[in-house]
Amino acid sequence: MNPASLASPKIDLERLLARIATLAEVGAIEGGGVCRLALTDADRDGRDLVVRWMRELGLAVSIDAIGNVIGVRAGIEDGPPVMTGSHIDTVRTGGRYDGNLGVLAGLEVVAALNHASVVTRRPLAVAFFTNEEGARFAPDMMGSLVYVGGLGLDDALVTVGIDGTTVGENLARIGYAGVAPISAPTVHAFVELHVEQGPLLEHEGVAIGAVTGVQGIHWTEFTVEGVSNHAGTTPMALRHDAGYVASEIARYARQVARKLGGGQLATVGHVTFEPNLVNVIPNRVVFTLDLRNTDADVLAEAVQRVFAHADAVAAEEGVRLSRRSLADFAPVSFDERIVARVESLARAQGHSVRRMPSGAGHDAQMLARLCPTGMVFVPSVAGLSHNVAEFTRDADIRTGANLLLALLCELANN
Ligand code: GLV
Ligand code: MN
Ligand code: MN
């Protein structure tokens, strides 16, 4: 493998599975899932555990001001590391693999190299980035976005979450407002192993996804303000019903996605009604809209159509409508050389592989602004994710981790 190697490093599947299971006990919820929303106490406990493992593996751990944690394993030479990693925060009803697999497989690669006394030419780094999910604080991929300079630290720290508290105060509260500088980091290459979170690989019986890029993501928060009134006495023509307007926008977003086709997606995932009572016309509704597409032009068209319809319906009903952008990320293409290496290494290791874009957002899409970047997908059973029943078979985890090991060694040695 390289002049400093004594034996071929090997992934120890049992050790990796044990770490996945142990981390999943932190914030465990019914059904086998995990709730570790970013910067909560559960997130801190998960972080503490992973940092402990990093130190036990001999990594030099640094924590930056947005709470990204990076563990570095020295190479024969100094210089920019080859980095892998992902996130360990989850949505409120998360599975145990989303993000966690990428971080813990990175640690398993380090453990395998340590065990075989292999030192790579370049340093290797394993990272977990803050608030990838964006479920508590928008935007998603916040830590990696700050890391690559796409969002100012100060702007990130004042972000208010769904419970009214800020990123900055929660980082300080859990003890992860670190001191490592985040200006202009240099990374030789970045590779993230992740579960597919969709049905394609399983459906086609393919073992590995060579991820070509990530689709565009557009999140908006709408606030509709009407007038509360009696449900039994207010004629339909005299209503200013915020609930109706919100529902109509949601219905229309889905219709637009179906009509545009070509992979356009639309999701209304969060809604609050006020006063939320059976016999009162709602006076205030706040809801989110998540629009995605691999085609930036079609995505822009979907956004434009939904916004125009929303304005028209609000005017017709006589309610006030306001919008707040929560996230706006263009589609990202990964480095062709890394995509091709994922394909050829998968084949060399005896596995089927297909190219595919990612439907979910990932830290890798931010790292792609910084250095040659790629991703490796392994199948998700029934395509389930952001669901406590998220599951990836042990054999697929082994396949993905072995590929990650080979790819990282190649990138770190050549
Ligand atoms: C992150 O998981 C996202 O794609 O929303
Ligand atoms: Mn993820
Ligand atoms: Mn996720």
Side-chain angles (χ1 to χ4, degrees), residues 161-368:
I162 54 176
D163 54 2
T165 61
T166 65
V167 166
E169 68 190 272
N170 283 285
L171 266 174
R173 190 182 61 78
I174 68 167
Y176 275 86
V179 293
I182 35 183
S183 56
T186 51
V187 177
H188 179 73
F190 183 82
V191 182
E192 180 172 354
L193 172 65
H194 206 285
V195 292
E196 179 200 343
Q197 308 182 267
L200 266 183
L201 291 175
E202 186 187 56
H203 186 250
E204 295 182 1
V206 174
I208 291 288
V211 185
T212 50
V214 179
Q215 67 180 338
I217 303 175
H218 196 282
W219 287 358
T220 308
E221 181 188 78
F222 291 80
T223 301
V224 189
E225 289 163 296
V227 179
S228 278
N229 211 334
H230 197 295
T233 62
T234 316
M236 297 310 284
L238 298 182
R239 294 180 180 217
H240 305 288
D241 184 341
Y244 157 69
V245 170
S247 312
E248 171 55 24
I249 297 168
R251 184 204 63 77
Y252 185 79
R254 188 176 169 92
Q255 178 184 311
V256 163
R258 305 281 298 240
K259 275 209 174 130
L260 285 173
Q264 178 61 47
L265 302 165
T267 305
V268 172
H270 167 84
V271 184
T272 56
F273 272 62
E274 286 175 31
N276 207 19
L277 295 167
V278 64
N279 54 356
V280 184
I281 296 167
N283 69 310
R284 189 169 196 272
V285 179
V286 179
F287 69 98
T288 57
L289 176 65
D290 173 321
L291 295 170
R292 305 195 192 202
N293 203 315
T294 48
D295 184 322
D297 293 336
V298 181
L299 179 57
E301 170 79 16
V303 171
Q304 190 277 327
R305 283 201 205 179
V306 175
F307 283 11
H309 185 72
D311 290 342
V313 181
E316 208 176 290
E317 185 72 4
V319 299
R320 230 182 119 238
L321 178 76
S322 52
R323 285 189 280 272
R324 188 163 73 95
S325 172
L326 297 181
D328 187 7
F329 299 125
V332 170
S333 295
F334 289 142
D335 187 274
E336 170 53 31
R337 292 161 300 178
I338 296 187
V339 180
R341 285 314 293 156
V342 172
E343 277 186 311
S344 46
L345 282 169
R347 289 200 184 102
Q349 293 184 344
H351 303 295
S352 51
V353 57
R354 64 161 284 170
R355 289 182 173 228
M356 60 191 301
S358 170
H362 296 291
D363 295 307
Q365 81 191 81
M366 299 310 167
L367 271 290

Side-chain angles (χ1 to χ4, degrees), residues 87 91 98 132-134 140-141 197 217 219 290 292 359-362 365 386:
H87 62 99
V91 296
D98 179 358
E132 188 272 353
E133 293 290 6
D140 46 353
M141 285 78 71
Q197 308 182 267
I217 303 175
W219 287 358
D290 173 321
R292 305 195 192 202
H362 296 291
Q365 81 191 81
H386 288 184

Side-chain angles (χ1 to χ4, degrees), residues 2 6 17 82 94 99 123 128 155 161 175 178 184 236 253 276 282 295 310 372 389 396 405:
N2 72 61
L6 296 177
L17 293 177
V82 170
F128 62 89
D155 289 337
M236 297 310 284
N276 207 19
D295 184 322
D396 292 328
L405 170 66

